[in-house]
Amino acid sequence: MELLEHYLSLATKTIFIENILLSYFLGMCSFLAISKKIEASIGLGFAVIFVSGVTVPLNWAIKEYLLNEGALTWVGISELATVDLSFLSFVTYIATIAAMVQLVEMLLDKFSPVLYNSLGIFLPLIAVNCSILGASLFMDERGYDFGESAVFGVSSGAGFALAIVSMAAIRFKLKYSNIPDGLKGLGITMILTGLLSMAYLSFSGINL
Amino acid sequence: MDKNIKAIISDPMVDNNPITKQILGICSALAVTVKMEQAVVMSLALAFVLICSNVIISLLRKNIPGKIRIIVQLTVIASLVILIDELLKAYLYDISKQLSVFVALIITNCIIMGRAEAFAMQNNIKDAMYDGLGNAVGYGAILIIVSIFRELLGSGTLFNYSVIPSSIYLENGGWYVNNGLMLLAPGAFIILGLIVWVQRSYTKYVED
């Protein structure tokens, strides 16, 4: 019960208080490009939840059993016990993510061609979506255990999905407003994101 | 210097700026701009990675099979980022701690992938190098402008030297208070939005 409570509070913190997009600025590129359309935003949101929910615990396992100093003791060869491969972490994290994205792409192509077509070029770009690599790096930096990293992965993806879907809804309404020429597109979206992130600031200080 | 090279370098500085026009690499532009010091170090790190990766990928462009090009590019970029991360940890430890995961996130910085894909894969080494230089300068310029505003308005300093006379602060009997919002996420979004507005009014670019 206590564990569940801990996971719940971690999830709330990751989704609302330390939203990966609105307070750590990760995943801005695809956020700005995709939030023009609501359907595509929902699709991308779910793809991000899935990919980061899988890659963060996967990267945790790779770090714990292959990369950290002394992680290779389970092989049984005594020379390997002192090897420290942690400097390779960035390359392995990104390789795991790229492979996962490829997998998701193939699955979507097979089971949901409509979604696959609407995501278009942005699906391969999830591989270079900062929020996914960022989630793995935060997992590393904050020293989460397996359960925590699974919860963190899913909820950071959920935070991204929430932000992008609400932004898409705001931009949908924006079509009918009269915006100065230079501010159209990127400019107004940045300012709106600022306001959205200000709204999320009001969650800070909540402790579960 | 012939005209072509001049165009390659100067184009990404104003007209085709990677951040305000191409909408690439926004994550780090927002996250590391609380202090000018961080912004300068980050721009230099990015310039190093961008120029080297453009050169290496242009060197390899005839040998990279089309289907796996993304993963080849990512490997090149990730290796360069590991190099710069280790260098920063060795010589500028304090700043590297403040930049935390954002140095590692240069891997997924869209500018680098974007330029590798859009320019280095089709052009010769010399042009690719100048393109990297031009884009790095364009990126650095925006980063430094944003950080000037955020550091000046948020903490009243520039490069950690206080520029606002201490006698006008409220606690010393004056009327001035630092705007704490500038140090938080919303400040970054709004400042960048306004800079985009200024830049686009100057270049007369209108997004539809």
Side-chain angles (χ1 to χ4, degrees), chain A residues 16-33 35 130-131 159-160 163-164 167 171 183 185-201, chain B residues 19-20 23 25-34 102 142-143 145-147 149-150 153 179-198:
Chain A
F16 294 107
I17 305 170
E18 293 177 355
N19 187 298
I20 194 136
L21 194 133
L22 296 170
S23 66
Y24 288 107
F25 315 103
L26 300 179
M28 283 304 293
C29 303
S30 41
F31 172 80
L32 292 170
S35 62
C130 324
S131 67
F160 178 85
I164 193 172
M167 195 61 199
R171 283 181 85 170
L183 209 53
L186 180 61
I188 192 72
T189 313
M190 292 306 297
I191 291 174
L192 283 173
T193 316
L195 296 178
L196 201 58
S197 120
M198 229 185 271
Y200 272 68
L201 273 184
Chain B
I19 294 181
T20 57
I23 321 190
I26 302 214
C27 326
S28 54
L30 296 165
V32 299
T33 48
V34 176
F102 289 98
I142 296 289
L143 227 65
I145 294 172
V146 175
S147 68
F149 281 111
R150 285 186 75 188
L153 299 175
N179 185 352
L181 189 68
M182 284 297 150
L183 300 178
L184 297 170
F189 285 118
I190 291 169
I191 290 275
L192 189 62
L194 295 176
I195 288 173
V196 169
W197 189 9
V198 171

Side-chain angles (χ1 to χ4, degrees), chain A residues 79-124:
Chain A
E79 285 85 28
L80 286 180
T82 51
V83 175
D84 181 6
L85 291 175
S86 53
F87 67 93
L88 285 178
S89 56
F90 300 165
V91 183
T92 34
Y93 292 167
I94 196 77
T96 318
I97 291 165
M100 270 315 296
V101 169
Q102 203 84 51
L103 199 71
V104 173
E105 203 179 342
M106 286 192 280
L107 285 176
L108 271 186
D109 192 16
K110 179 119 175 65
F111 295 113
S112 172
V114 181
L115 186 58
Y116 178 77
N117 286 333
S118 72
L119 286 178
I121 174 147
F122 288 100
L123 200 57

